[in-house]
Amino acid sequence: MEVSAEAERPGLEWVLWGVSVVSAALLVRALLLEYESPDWYFFLGPWYRYLEENGGFHALGGADFSDYNVPYLYLLAALSYLPVPAMTAVKCVSILFDLLLASYAYRIVASWRPQRPGRAFGAAATVLFLPTVVTNSGWWAQADGIFTAFLLGGVLHLLRGRSWWACSFFGLALAFKLQAVFLFPLLLVAVLTRRVTWRSLLAVPAVYVALDLPAILLGADPWRLLTVYVRQTGTYQDLTLNAPSVYQFVSVPSGEEDPVRKAGVLVAGGLVLALVALAVRAVRGAADRAGRPGRAGGADATSAVLLPAAVFAIAVPFLLPSMHERYFYVADVLSVLVAFHRPRQLWYLPVLVQLASFGSYLKFIAPSVAPYLSMPAHGALMLLALIAVLRVAAREFGPGPAPEGAVPGTVPGAVPGAVPGAGPEVRAAAQ
């Protein structure tokens, strides 16, 4: 009985610790609820009023009042029936997804450190109190935490080898916001390294279309819903909208932005595909040396997912034109998880990313501070973050001698034809 009581006590302590952290996180956000951001004034507020004045869900039959896909509008429509101040209600939904985001951060870290719950709680708490995460929901009333939470769910299922679940969560993220595509190169790497089966990719469009069906049944134009993101890409013509990207170093005469934007998209696409190819080659090479000390087992499987995820989350918005300051939100969160996974090599990564990302936020949310900010400096910080994670990934998957007697492409003790770190469905496909 004494041993049992001692075994239960740490669990209770962690629960109390978690309740305290969540309460503090909610209190910080509550202090921001009364502030009205320009995004609320010009976009979210008018959308909410339109839904409220036109029958809530029935208003979604004409979803052209907004340039968002309908899953987020479903949430706004549901809120319009509640006797709660509009801006507070919308912010509270985003704050709830902050908690889900932290929950997935906890579960991802706990998946490779189950015997050390303190590290998982630390990662979750860090995510909850990131300045960009707090500001995005509590002040901005934005929804970046929603699609990022689903992306983290997809990453968790990738780590567990659940192909269909992973792709379904990526589909959920995409249905809420186009910026989810920043992490889609990770899915391509997972497919090419046989961590995810090709057929499971069907879950991405299936989930997207399924979430659009209720609005279509209410009378919304199917083609308009399926092409909403195509129209979004032409909304902004500036090379950068306060984003700490490579375009902070590009100077173009007024009126000449469009050719540079098109060229930038092509160059970014080529570079991202090159990163995908390098990641696939590196992960496959690491699998061939799976018997090398420190390479086999859970840590290697985790690195094969988290390190490429962090690279793409930073590289894609850094290379693409017309990015907003908020578009590094996924990088903000993943940089924390990578730092907890590789604390000795990358403890400073979230610091670099936050300095660049939240510094860009200040350009927008604190105009009095804006004259003292250097956007090229923020771009340089994000570039340093990208270089840092690339260096660690290169070392992790770099060439090295295979152990004596090891068979290329196998893990000692593994079932022949199995894929390291993959779930049962992938192993069956490999056989």
Side-chain angles (χ1 to χ4, degrees):
M1 291 178 64
E2 291 177 357
V3 173
S4 176
E6 290 178 359
E8 291 177 3
R9 195 174 298 123
L12 178 60
E13 291 175 357
W14 285 120
V15 169
L16 294 175
W17 187 91
V19 170
S20 300
V21 169
V22 169
S23 300
L26 294 177
L27 176 60
V28 170
R29 287 160 173 80
L31 298 175
L32 302 174
L33 290 180
E34 64 182 45
Y35 292 96
E36 182 179 292
S37 69
D39 280 16
W40 173 262
Y41 183 82
F42 290 107
F43 301 104
L44 298 171
W47 299 348
Y48 189 96
R49 287 192 295 273
Y50 179 88
L51 290 166
E52 199 172 35
E53 294 167 1
N54 291 273
F57 285 106
H58 294 288
L60 296 175
D64 54 352
F65 64 91
S66 165
D67 64 350
Y68 271 33
N69 196 23
V70 286
Y72 183 65
L73 301 181
Y74 294 151
L75 297 179
L76 296 187
L79 293 174
S80 69
Y81 294 96
L82 301 178
V84 180
M87 188 170 66
T88 299
V90 172
K91 287 186 177 183
C92 284
V93 167
S94 295
I95 290 169
L96 287 176
F97 276 92
D98 286 353
L99 301 180
L100 180 62
L101 186 71
S103 170
Y104 278 123
Y106 172 89
R107 294 171 67 185
I108 287 171
V109 176
S111 69
W112 77 77
R113 288 287 187 272
Q115 74 282 10
R116 298 180 65 180
R119 180 169 290 192
F121 272 109
T126 304
V127 167
L128 265 183
F129 285 98
L130 284 176
T132 49
V133 173
V134 172
T135 306
N136 193 281
S137 58
W139 185 87
W140 221 314
Q142 273 292 349
D144 297 290
I146 298 178
F147 81 88
T148 304
F150 290 131
L151 285 179
L152 285 198
V155 169
L156 177 63
H157 288 296
L158 278 180
L159 290 171
R160 293 180 174 177
R162 298 171 177 172
S163 293
W164 287 95
W165 277 108
C167 293
S168 296
F169 271 78
F170 273 77
L172 275 170
L174 180 62
F176 273 88
K177 268 207 166 181
L178 175 61
Q179 287 73 45
V181 299
F182 296 163
L183 211 56
F184 271 56
L186 176 65
L187 269 187
L188 183 56
V189 172
V191 167
L192 295 175
T193 56
R194 293 163 54 190
R195 179 177 293 275
V196 166
T197 59
W198 281 103
R199 63 180 180 273
S200 61
L201 292 178
L202 295 172
V204 175
V207 169
Y208 185 98
V209 172
L211 289 176
D212 279 353
L213 279 178
I216 293 173
L217 294 175
L218 289 169
D221 181 1
W223 180 249
R224 187 173 182 84
L225 293 183
L226 294 175
T227 59
V228 61
Y229 292 148
V230 176
R231 294 190 301 278
Q232 280 186 12
T233 58
T235 303
Y236 300 100
Q237 301 301 318
D238 296 337
L239 292 180
T240 177
L241 294 95
N242 296 328
S245 70
V246 68
Y247 292 94
Q248 293 296 342
F249 312 107
V250 177
S251 179
V252 177
S254 178
E256 299 296 326
E257 292 89 356
D258 191 54
V260 177
R261 283 181 69 253
K262 292 178 180 178
V265 171
L266 292 176
V267 171
L271 290 174
V272 170
L273 288 176
L275 287 174
V276 168
L278 290 173
V280 170
R281 181 180 179 184
V283 172
R284 283 179 174 175
D288 289 340
R289 299 184 303 276
R292 179 177 169 186
R295 295 289 173 150
D300 180 63
T302 302
S303 297
V305 173
L306 278 189
L307 288 176
V311 168
F312 293 126
I314 298 173
V316 176
F318 183 79
L319 295 171
L320 281 174
S322 301
M323 297 289 100
H324 291 248
E325 62 285 299
R326 293 181 292 102
Y327 289 2
F328 286 89
Y329 191 99
V330 181
D332 297 337
V333 175
L334 281 173
S335 67
V336 172
L337 301 186
V338 170
F340 274 85
H341 180 55
R342 287 286 184 267
R344 293 184 179 179
Q345 300 102 322
L346 289 171
W347 62 267
Y348 58 89
L349 184 66
V351 178
L352 288 175
V353 174
Q354 277 299 294
L355 286 173
S357 187
F358 189 66
S360 303
Y361 273 43
L362 292 176
K363 190 83 173 179
F364 184 81
I365 68 177
S368 61
V369 179
Y372 304 98
L373 299 174
S374 170
M375 292 309 300
H378 293 149
L381 287 170
M382 195 62 77
L383 177 60
L384 289 175
L386 178 58
I387 292 171
V389 73
L390 281 171
R391 286 181 69 242
V392 172
R395 290 179 181 178
E396 174 70 19
F397 302 116
E404 184 177 353
V407 179
T410 63
V411 178
V415 178
V419 182
E425 56 183 310
V426 181
R427 290 198 291 269
Q431 293 173 352

